[in-house]
Amino acid sequence: ITPASMMIVFLGITIGTIMTMSSSNWLMAWIGLELNMLAILPIISKPKTTRASEATTKYFLTQAIASAMMLLSSTMNAWQTGNWSILELKNKFSTTIMALSLMMKMGAAPIHFWLPEVLQGATLQTALLITTWQKIAPITLMYMISNNIQPAILVSAGILSMIIGGLGGINQTQLRKMMAYSSINNLGWTITIMAFFPNMALMNIFTYIIMITPIFLTMTNMSTKTLQNLSTTWTTSMTMTLSIALLMLSTSGLPPFTGFMPKMLILNELISQKLTTLATLAI
């Protein structure tokens, strides 16, 4: 891909996300997400391998289905209310479908199946893009409609994401798959608190993005893709190996690292909302 075409692609990704974040209309938000999705496809398929082509196809199909669900939901709501405004999503059925489509867009359980496979087929830089920038637009939309979504739906999906994200990463040797399950787990925390304190959900996801970016950049720098590669880098680059180990502990929410702060605040909020059982389950 030539530098000019790469610039157009990255411009498409940036404009698509900004368009979705700044729109007050479902159609404009949908157009922004479509532009964003179509722009990232050449980046995923850039390595001319079978695995990259497979990852591109999986990403395209899941995102296209999510976009179709989003369009169906907003059309049904507009049919009933006569309004395309994002904040006027009043129909319960439309709200549920919209919540599911946004969860599918960002890769939260129970519609998470595509994320580990796509990350495994993509390069480390593309995996970084999918786990950070690509989540901003759907999370912004979920934040905008969080008052209208039934808390039971968000909490159920959040707990399921925490469980699947926690258990899925246990037996992995591929670092990209581990990062995918880490992303699913973190989305679980974000979605759970979105039902009660949306501002804290945004703080949690942005803290996660700040933590996961240096992990991927360090892995790219050291050319590590498996745990075995990571274990052998100790002899060549001790500082980087130590940094990535500390960053991973921070991502998992271990005190006294940065990643512990949002999780502690979320647990505190769940307890203050009289959701002690939920907080215990989250731990």
Side-chain angles (χ1 to χ4, degrees):
I1 302 176
T2 60
S5 57
M6 280 303 282
M7 194 184 77
I8 292 165
V9 162
F10 279 110
L11 203 63
I13 291 170
T14 312
I15 290 170
T17 301
I18 293 168
M19 191 190 287
T20 302
M21 288 171 72
S22 57
S23 61
S24 59
N25 183 296
W26 278 120
L27 280 177
M28 287 305 291
W30 176 76
I31 289 165
L33 285 169
E34 287 297 293
L35 178 65
N36 180 285
M37 176 192 75
L38 291 171
I40 202 173
L41 293 177
I43 296 177
I44 303 171
S45 62
K46 194 184 173 188
K48 296 290 174 268
T49 59
T50 317
R51 186 167 275 182
S53 306
E54 187 186 333
T56 312
T57 310
K58 282 177 179 173
Y59 185 81
F60 172 71
L61 289 174
T62 46
Q63 296 294 314
I65 292 164
S67 293
M69 285 168 70
M70 188 179 166
L71 205 56
L72 169 71
S73 166
S74 52
T75 308
M76 283 174 66
N77 187 66
W79 199 352
Q80 284 205 337
T81 60
N83 198 331
W84 283 95
S85 172
I86 290 174
L87 300 172
E88 293 294 319
L89 196 68
K90 303 293 184 190
N91 184 357
K92 274 189 178 180
F93 184 66
S94 296
T95 312
T96 308
I97 292 177
M98 185 61 74
L100 284 171
S101 74
L102 293 174
M103 284 174 204
M104 195 173 189
K105 280 260 175 212
M106 61 179 96
I111 325 168
H112 66 284
F113 50 85
W114 62 271
L115 188 61
E117 300 299 321
V118 169
L119 287 205
Q120 188 55 36
T123 61
L124 286 166
Q125 294 96 320
T126 311
L128 169 63
L129 197 62
I130 293 167
T131 49
T132 54
W133 183 260
Q134 293 300 95
K135 286 189 173 26
I136 295 171
I139 281 172
T140 308
L141 288 175
M142 190 173 269
Y143 174 81
M144 290 168 83
I145 63 165
S146 58
N147 291 336
N148 300 327
I149 307 172
Q150 291 168 304
I153 294 166
L154 289 176
V155 169
S156 305
I159 290 172
L160 197 60
S161 295
M162 284 183 210
I163 294 166
I164 288 170
L167 296 178
I170 290 172
N171 238 1
Q172 298 297 335
T173 54
Q174 296 287 336
L175 289 173
R176 279 168 295 180
K177 278 197 175 180
M178 279 176 70
M179 290 295 104
Y181 283 110
S182 165
S183 174
I184 293 164
N185 178 273
N186 188 265
L187 278 171
W189 287 88
T190 308
I191 291 167
T192 304
I193 199 63
M194 188 76 80
F196 310 104
F197 201 156
N199 288 350
M200 198 177 285
L202 286 189
M203 186 200 69
N204 180 55
I205 198 70
F206 283 116
T207 308
Y208 180 75
I209 287 170
I210 290 163
M211 287 188 300
I212 205 169
T213 305
I215 292 179
F216 271 111
L217 293 176
T218 311
M219 277 160 53
T220 308
N221 196 15
M222 298 195 308
S223 300
T224 52
K225 291 180 181 176
T226 62
L227 278 176
Q228 193 177 4
N229 291 153
L230 201 61
S231 61
T232 54
T233 53
W234 182 261
T235 49
T236 54
S237 178
M238 198 169 84
T239 316
M240 274 203 164
T241 313
L242 190 63
S243 301
I244 206 166
L246 292 173
L247 281 164
M248 281 183 167
L249 288 173
S250 180
T251 313
S252 60
L254 199 76
F257 298 108
T258 315
F260 173 65
M261 181 193 65
K263 286 183 171 60
M264 185 187 69
L265 290 171
I266 288 169
L267 288 173
N268 182 50
E269 182 63 29
L270 289 174
I271 290 163
S272 68
Q273 292 277 356
K274 304 288 188 291
L275 296 165
T276 318
T277 318
L278 198 62
T280 313
L281 197 64
I283 294 167

Short mmCIF file of all heavy atoms in Angstrom, two decimals, residues 74-96:
data_model
loop_
_atom_site.label_atom_id
_atom_site.label_comp_id
_atom_site.label_asym_id
_atom_site.label_seq_id
_atom_site.Cartn_x
_atom_site.Cartn_y
_atom_site.Cartn_z
N SER A 74 -32.57 1.72 15.07
CA SER A 74 -32.84 3.16 14.94
C SER A 74 -34.03 3.43 14.03
O SER A 74 -34.81 4.36 14.27
CB SER A 74 -31.60 3.90 14.43
OG SER A 74 -31.10 3.30 13.28
N THR A 75 -34.22 2.59 12.98
CA THR A 75 -35.37 2.75 12.08
C THR A 75 -36.67 2.46 12.81
O THR A 75 -37.65 3.20 12.68
CB THR A 75 -35.23 1.82 10.85
OG1 THR A 75 -33.95 2.02 10.26
CG2 THR A 75 -36.30 2.09 9.82
N MET A 76 -36.67 1.38 13.60
CA MET A 76 -37.87 1.03 14.37
C MET A 76 -38.24 2.13 15.36
O MET A 76 -39.40 2.48 15.54
CB MET A 76 -37.65 -0.28 15.13
CG MET A 76 -37.76 -1.52 14.27
SD MET A 76 -37.33 -2.99 15.18
CE MET A 76 -38.63 -3.06 16.39
N ASN A 77 -37.20 2.68 16.00
CA ASN A 77 -37.43 3.76 16.96
C ASN A 77 -37.96 5.01 16.26
O ASN A 77 -38.88 5.68 16.75
CB ASN A 77 -36.13 4.08 17.70
CG ASN A 77 -36.35 5.06 18.82
OD1 ASN A 77 -37.01 4.77 19.81
ND2 ASN A 77 -35.82 6.26 18.65
N ALA A 78 -37.38 5.33 15.08
CA ALA A 78 -37.82 6.50 14.31
C ALA A 78 -39.26 6.31 13.82
O ALA A 78 -40.04 7.27 13.75
CB ALA A 78 -36.89 6.72 13.14
N TRP A 79 -39.61 5.09 13.50
CA TRP A 79 -40.97 4.75 13.05
C TRP A 79 -41.99 5.05 14.16
O TRP A 79 -43.06 5.58 13.91
CB TRP A 79 -41.00 3.27 12.69
CG TRP A 79 -42.14 2.86 11.80
CD1 TRP A 79 -43.20 3.63 11.41
CD2 TRP A 79 -42.31 1.59 11.17
NE1 TRP A 79 -44.02 2.91 10.58
CE2 TRP A 79 -43.50 1.66 10.43
CE3 TRP A 79 -41.58 0.41 11.19
CZ2 TRP A 79 -43.97 0.58 9.69
CZ3 TRP A 79 -42.06 -0.67 10.45
CH2 TRP A 79 -43.25 -0.59 9.70
N GLN A 80 -41.62 4.72 15.38
CA GLN A 80 -42.54 4.91 16.51
C GLN A 80 -42.54 6.35 17.04
O GLN A 80 -43.58 6.89 17.38
CB GLN A 80 -42.16 3.96 17.65
CG GLN A 80 -42.60 2.53 17.39
CD GLN A 80 -42.79 1.75 18.68
OE1 GLN A 80 -42.23 2.10 19.72
NE2 GLN A 80 -43.59 0.71 18.64
N THR A 81 -41.34 6.95 17.13
CA THR A 81 -41.26 8.28 17.75
C THR A 81 -41.21 9.42 16.73
O THR A 81 -41.43 10.57 17.09
CB THR A 81 -40.00 8.38 18.64
OG1 THR A 81 -38.84 8.16 17.81
CG2 THR A 81 -40.01 7.34 19.75
N GLY A 82 -40.89 9.08 15.47
CA GLY A 82 -40.76 10.12 14.44
C GLY A 82 -39.52 10.96 14.63
O GLY A 82 -39.41 12.09 14.17
N ASN A 83 -38.51 10.38 15.31
CA ASN A 83 -37.31 11.13 15.65
C ASN A 83 -36.07 10.26 15.48
O ASN A 83 -36.03 9.13 15.94
CB ASN A 83 -37.43 11.58 17.12
CG ASN A 83 -36.49 12.71 17.44
OD1 ASN A 83 -35.43 12.84 16.86
ND2 ASN A 83 -36.90 13.54 18.38
N TRP A 84 -35.03 10.79 14.82
CA TRP A 84 -33.78 10.05 14.62
C TRP A 84 -32.72 10.41 15.66
O TRP A 84 -31.59 9.96 15.58
CB TRP A 84 -33.21 10.34 13.22
CG TRP A 84 -33.92 9.62 12.13
CD1 TRP A 84 -34.93 10.11 11.36
CD2 TRP A 84 -33.71 8.28 11.68
NE1 TRP A 84 -35.36 9.16 10.46
CE2 TRP A 84 -34.62 8.03 10.63
CE3 TRP A 84 -32.83 7.26 12.07
CZ2 TRP A 84 -34.68 6.81 9.97
CZ3 TRP A 84 -32.89 6.05 11.40
CH2 TRP A 84 -33.81 5.83 10.36
N SER A 85 -33.09 11.23 16.64
CA SER A 85 -32.12 11.68 17.64
C SER A 85 -31.60 10.51 18.48
O SER A 85 -32.37 9.62 18.88
CB SER A 85 -32.76 12.72 18.55
OG SER A 85 -31.90 13.02 19.62
N ILE A 86 -30.31 10.52 18.77
CA ILE A 86 -29.68 9.44 19.55
C ILE A 86 -30.25 9.41 20.98
O ILE A 86 -30.49 8.34 21.54
CB ILE A 86 -28.14 9.62 19.58
CG1 ILE A 86 -27.57 9.33 18.19
CG2 ILE A 86 -27.47 8.70 20.61
CD1 ILE A 86 -26.10 9.59 18.01
N LEU A 87 -30.50 10.59 21.54
CA LEU A 87 -30.97 10.67 22.92
C LEU A 87 -32.45 10.31 23.07
O LEU A 87 -32.94 10.15 24.18
CB LEU A 87 -30.73 12.08 23.48
CG LEU A 87 -29.26 12.53 23.51
CD1 LEU A 87 -29.16 13.99 23.90
CD2 LEU A 87 -28.44 11.67 24.47
N GLU A 88 -33.16 10.17 21.94
CA GLU A 88 -34.61 9.87 21.99
C GLU A 88 -34.90 8.39 21.74
O GLU A 88 -35.93 8.06 21.17
CB GLU A 88 -35.35 10.73 20.95
CG GLU A 88 -35.35 12.21 21.24
CD GLU A 88 -36.11 12.59 22.50
OE1 GLU A 88 -37.19 12.01 22.74
OE2 GLU A 88 -35.61 13.43 23.26
N LEU A 89 -33.99 7.52 22.13
CA LEU A 89 -34.20 6.08 21.93
C LEU A 89 -35.08 5.54 23.06
O LEU A 89 -34.61 5.13 24.10
CB LEU A 89 -32.85 5.35 21.90
CG LEU A 89 -32.84 3.93 21.33
CD1 LEU A 89 -33.12 3.91 19.84
CD2 LEU A 89 -31.50 3.26 21.59
N LYS A 90 -36.41 5.56 22.85
CA LYS A 90 -37.35 5.26 23.93
C LYS A 90 -37.90 3.83 23.87
O LYS A 90 -38.23 3.24 24.89
CB LYS A 90 -38.55 6.25 23.87
CG LYS A 90 -38.15 7.71 23.97
CD LYS A 90 -37.57 8.06 25.33
CE LYS A 90 -37.27 9.55 25.42
NZ LYS A 90 -36.50 9.89 26.61
N ASN A 91 -38.01 3.28 22.66
CA ASN A 91 -38.59 1.95 22.49
C ASN A 91 -37.68 0.89 23.13
O ASN A 91 -36.51 0.80 22.82
CB ASN A 91 -38.77 1.69 20.99
CG ASN A 91 -39.45 0.37 20.71
OD1 ASN A 91 -39.74 -0.40 21.62
ND2 ASN A 91 -39.70 0.10 19.45
N LYS A 92 -38.24 0.06 24.04
CA LYS A 92 -37.43 -0.92 24.78
C LYS A 92 -36.79 -1.95 23.86
O LYS A 92 -35.62 -2.32 24.02
CB LYS A 92 -38.30 -1.64 25.83
CG LYS A 92 -38.38 -0.88 27.14
CD LYS A 92 -39.05 -1.71 28.21
CE LYS A 92 -39.08 -0.94 29.53
NZ LYS A 92 -39.72 -1.72 30.60
N PHE A 93 -37.56 -2.44 22.89
CA PHE A 93 -37.05 -3.45 21.94
C PHE A 93 -35.89 -2.87 21.13
O PHE A 93 -34.84 -3.50 20.97
CB PHE A 93 -38.17 -3.93 21.03
CG PHE A 93 -37.78 -5.03 20.10
CD1 PHE A 93 -37.42 -6.29 20.58
CD2 PHE A 93 -37.72 -4.82 18.73
CE1 PHE A 93 -37.04 -7.31 19.73
CE2 PHE A 93 -37.35 -5.84 17.86
CZ PHE A 93 -37.00 -7.09 18.36
N SER A 94 -36.08 -1.62 20.63
CA SER A 94 -35.02 -0.94 19.86
C SER A 94 -33.77 -0.74 20.71
O SER A 94 -32.64 -0.93 20.25
CB SER A 94 -35.52 0.43 19.38
OG SER A 94 -36.59 0.28 18.51
N THR A 95 -33.98 -0.38 21.97
CA THR A 95 -32.85 -0.13 22.87
C THR A 95 -32.04 -1.41 23.10
O THR A 95 -30.81 -1.38 23.10
CB THR A 95 -33.36 0.41 24.23
OG1 THR A 95 -34.29 1.44 23.99
CG2 THR A 95 -32.23 0.95 25.07
N THR A 96 -32.75 -2.53 23.27
CA THR A 96 -32.07 -3.82 23.50
C THR A 96 -31.26 -4.22 22.28
O THR A 96 -30.09 -4.63 22.41
CB THR A 96 -33.11 -4.92 23.84
OG1 THR A 96 -33.94 -4.46 24.89
CG2 THR A 96 -32.44 -6.21 24.25
#
